[in-house]
Amino acid sequence: MKPDTNYYPELRAEMARKNISVTMIANDPRIRRTVSTMSMKLTGKADLLLREAIAIKQILGTNTPIEILFQTKTTE
């Protein structure tokens, strides 16, 4: 099954705008996770900790509120 790369659509859009990959986030000293683990967290397959979400927001350098950045996609 293909990972759901649109689990956090605003986060993915911001990552694209800033040209920041999952690998770059995973390797950041504030995160320090394997790429596989970070990918699972960003696709909803594993829980994302609040401190990780805050660190990701800092890595992205965005003013987007964390509630918007990590809003999950809605199912219709």
Side-chain angles (χ1 to χ4, degrees):
M1 188 154 136
K2 186 177 179 185
D4 186 356
T5 57
N6 287 322
Y7 190 73
Y8 297 118
E10 288 298 322
L11 172 66
R12 292 299 183 153
E14 192 66 30
M15 287 171 66
R17 280 190 287 275
K18 303 284 176 120
N19 199 28
I20 294 178
S21 68
V22 174
T23 301
M24 293 167 77
I25 291 172
N27 291 333
D28 188 280
R30 293 166 280 192
I31 300 287
R32 285 187 288 188
R33 300 277 183 238
T34 64
V35 175
S36 175
T37 298
M38 198 74 254
S39 180
M40 288 177 63
K41 288 174 178 270
L42 297 183
T43 57
K45 307 292 186 234
D47 292 336
L48 182 69
L49 302 176
L50 177 59
R51 66 180 173 79
E52 293 169 330
I54 292 168
I56 291 168
K57 183 179 180 336
Q58 292 170 345
I59 291 164
L60 293 173
T62 181
N63 291 326
T64 303
I66 203 162
E67 298 86 359
I68 301 298
L69 199 59
F70 290 94
Q71 184 174 16
T72 57
K73 71 176 184 177
T74 55
T75 54
E76 297 175 29

